[in-house]
Amino acid sequence: MIDEKLLLERLTDAAEAQDGLLPRSLADDLNAGRRRLRRRRILTGGTALVAAGAVAVATIGMSGVLKDSTQMEAPVATQQAPANTQSAEDAAAVARTSGFDTLMKALLVKHLDPAKKHLDFSVGPFLIGSDVGAHGTTRKVGWNVAGDKGQGMLYVSLSPYAKGGDVCGGDGQPVPTCHQITLPNGRPAMFGRKGKAAQLSYVQPDGETAFLAIDPLFGNNTTIPVKKLDITDDQMIAWATDPKLNLPPLSADDQVKEDKLKGFAPTLQQIVRTTAVQMPGTYTANRVDDLPTMIDVVQNWSKGSTTAEVSVSVYASPVVMPCVDAPSGKKCLPATAPNGSKAEFYEAPHTYQGGPMYEMQAAFTQPDGDQARVRILYPGKKKPANAITKEQMLAMVTDPALDR
C-alpha cells in the first residue's frame, strides 16, 4: 500500500532539508557519512590547518583586530606547533587557491566589515574541495570586538550547485524559520533571522549557491558569545549578490568528471514508484539525500508487524565505491538478478550503536558505470520471515527505471 502523492510530498520536503536536522536510525549511515566527509574536507582544508586553527581561534579572538592572511602575525598556538605540521598536500592546496582565498576574504571585508575591525581569518584559508561534485568552499570566520571576551562566527560557503550545498535552516543554527524573500535584483533567496543570528542562501544566476550564517557564538572551543554582532540583512544580501563572488573555473580533467554527473540519476518519483512495484509493502517517508553525485531515498517499510528501513541509492560513476559488508569489510558476493544481470549481494546481522540490526544490501553497476544500491535494515539479529527477498532486491537494483 502506498499513497504516492503524500509520500512524494513528504520525501520532497525532506530532500530540501539538510542532513544535520534529520534523525538517523544508525550512527554509521553510509550516505550521510559520505556527505559529512566531503564537507569536513572542504571546511578543514587539511588536517594541519584545522589542528593549528581550532586552538588559535580561542587565543587570538580577543583583540578585535582584523587578521588578514597576508599580514597576520601567527597566533601563539601556531607558533608553538612543529615546523613540519603542514603537509605537502596542504601547502599545495593553499598555493593553488591563494587567489581565491584573497578574493573571498576581500569580499567579506568589503560588505561586512569595511572598517576592518572585526573579522578574524585565523582558522585558515578558503580552499576549493577536490572531490568530484564538491568543488566548492566552506569556512568558518571569527568575529571579534575589542574588549569583548566572546567571539562570534560567520559560516561561509559557496557551492557549485543549486542542490547539495548549504541552505538556509539546514545546519542546526538557531534560526527558527527560513522564508523566501525577493532580492533587489528580483531573484529569490531564502532568509531567516533570530536576534543577532541569521542565515541567507542564494542561488546565483550561474547556478552557484552562496550561503552565509552569522551567530554570536563561534562554537568549537569557544563558549562565550560576542555581545555585538551588527551585520544587517542588507549587508548579507550585498555579499551574496556581489558579481565577483564566483568559484574559479574547473580544470579540463575535472570538467570531464563533472560532466559525467549530469542527468545520471532517476527522479524521486521514479525511485518511489519502482520501489513500490519491486518490493511491495506499506511505505512512509523518512528522508532524502539529493546531491550532485548521488541520490538516496530512504523510506520506512512495513508488512504486517514487520518493519524495516529501506534505502534506494544511485551513485554517479566517478564516486562509485566497491560493494562491501561495511562492518566487516568483506566484499559482497556475486549474484544473478531475475533478469540475468550480474549483481552483488550480502546479508548479515550486525550490532550498531542503535542496537542489533539484520542488514541486507544489493548493488548493480550499470552499463554506463553508475551504480544502483538497495540497503535494508531490520531491527534485531534475525531476518524476519516475511522480509523482502534477495530476488526482489536484485530485481530492484537492475530495474531499467533506475538507469538513465
Side-chain angles (χ1 to χ4, degrees):
M1 297 175 59
I2 181 172
D3 184 337
E4 183 178 306
K5 182 178 179 181
L6 178 61
L7 183 60
L8 283 169
E9 287 177 353
R10 291 183 177 177
L11 284 168
T12 300
D13 289 342
E16 294 173 354
Q18 292 294 318
D19 298 13
L21 297 181
L22 297 169
R24 299 289 179 186
S25 61
L26 294 174
D28 68 330
D29 183 272
L30 173 64
N31 299 313
R34 279 180 168 175
R35 188 174 199 168
R36 291 191 197 100
L37 178 59
R38 280 194 296 271
R39 287 184 180 174
R40 189 178 302 117
R41 286 174 178 170
I42 296 173
L43 181 61
T44 60
T47 55
L49 289 174
V50 74
V55 180
V57 165
T59 57
I60 69 170
M62 318 299 180
S63 64
V65 178
L66 172 72
K67 303 294 192 303
D68 185 80
S69 61
T70 58
Q71 306 175 12
M72 183 178 66
E73 289 185 6
V76 174
T78 305
Q79 291 174 335
Q80 295 174 344
N84 62 350
T85 299
Q86 189 180 59
S87 69
E89 181 181 356
D90 294 333
V94 173
R96 188 169 58 250
T97 58
S98 59
F100 177 71
D101 175 58
T102 300
L103 170 67
M104 291 294 290
K105 291 175 179 176
L107 292 177
L108 289 170
V109 170
K110 173 185 175 182
H111 295 292
L112 308 181
D113 186 25
K116 299 184 178 181
K117 293 182 178 180
H118 305 296
L119 288 174
D120 183 341
F121 297 113
S122 60
V123 171
F126 284 90
L127 302 180
I128 302 296
S130 59
D131 291 346
V132 179
H135 293 290
T137 189
T138 303
R139 174 58 58 203
K140 291 181 76 171
V141 177
W143 180 271
N144 303 323
V145 174
D148 190 333
K149 294 183 178 180
Q151 183 173 46
M153 178 274 291
L154 278 66
Y155 179 96
V156 183
S157 76
L158 187 59
S159 166
Y161 300 100
K163 295 192 301 182
D166 293 293
V167 295
C168 187
D171 282 298
Q173 306 290 348
V175 179
T177 304
C178 286
H179 57 279
Q180 183 170 306
I181 62 174
T182 300
L183 302 184
N185 61 9
R187 294 180 58 82
M190 295 299 292
F191 181 80
R193 178 178 285 277
K194 182 180 180 181
K196 297 297 184 182
Q199 290 186 28
L200 171 71
S201 57
Y202 168 63
V203 180
Q204 300 172 332
D206 62 0
E208 295 178 0
T209 299
F211 174 79
L212 176 62
I214 61 174
D215 194 311
L217 179 64
F218 186 91
N220 289 20
N221 56 343
T222 62
T223 58
I224 304 174
V226 71
K227 295 178 181 177
K228 188 175 182 180
L229 180 55
D230 294 334
I231 295 177
T232 67
D233 302 355
D234 289 342
Q235 285 178 298
M236 297 176 69
I237 292 171
W239 172 84
T241 56
D242 192 303
K244 293 183 179 179
L245 184 61
N246 285 294
L247 292 165
L250 296 172
S251 67
D253 289 343
D254 285 338
Q255 188 62 62
V256 170
K257 295 176 182 177
E258 291 288 319
D259 289 342
K260 292 182 179 180
L261 304 181
K262 296 177 181 178
F264 81 92
T267 64
L268 175 60
Q269 188 176 50
Q270 286 176 306
I271 292 176
V272 168
R273 287 180 173 175
T274 307
T275 302
V277 170
Q278 295 290 5
M279 301 183 298
T282 300
Y283 286 92
T284 58
N286 188 320
R287 66 182 183 272
V288 177
D289 279 330
D290 191 358
L291 304 177
T293 55
M294 58 85 74
I295 183 170
D296 178 33
V297 180
V298 184
Q299 302 177 72
N300 302 316
W301 173 90
S302 63
K303 192 173 185 180
S305 60
T306 304
T307 61
E309 181 181 274
V310 175
S311 172
V312 179
S313 311
V314 180
Y315 295 87
S317 56
V319 299
V320 166
M321 298 176 64
C323 179
V324 296
D325 175 346
S328 69
K330 295 180 180 178
K331 291 183 178 180
C332 299
L333 297 176
T336 302
N339 64 4
S341 298
K342 301 301 180 184
E344 297 174 280
F345 181 84
Y346 84 80
E347 58 179 316
H350 298 294
T351 299
Y352 297 97
Q353 289 184 4
M357 290 280 182
Y358 194 90
E359 181 172 353
M360 302 173 71
Q361 187 167 169
F364 173 64
T365 301
Q366 300 165 345
D368 58 2
D370 299 337
Q371 187 182 78
R373 291 201 188 204
V374 172
R375 183 188 186 213
I376 302 178
L377 296 165
Y378 298 97
K381 296 181 179 180
K382 296 182 179 180
K383 180 169 67 174
N386 59 344
I388 296 172
T389 67
K390 172 182 177 181
E391 289 70 28
Q392 287 176 311
M393 295 177 66
L394 291 171
M396 177 70 195
V397 294
T398 57
D399 193 304
L402 299 187
D403 186 7
R404 294 191 64 180

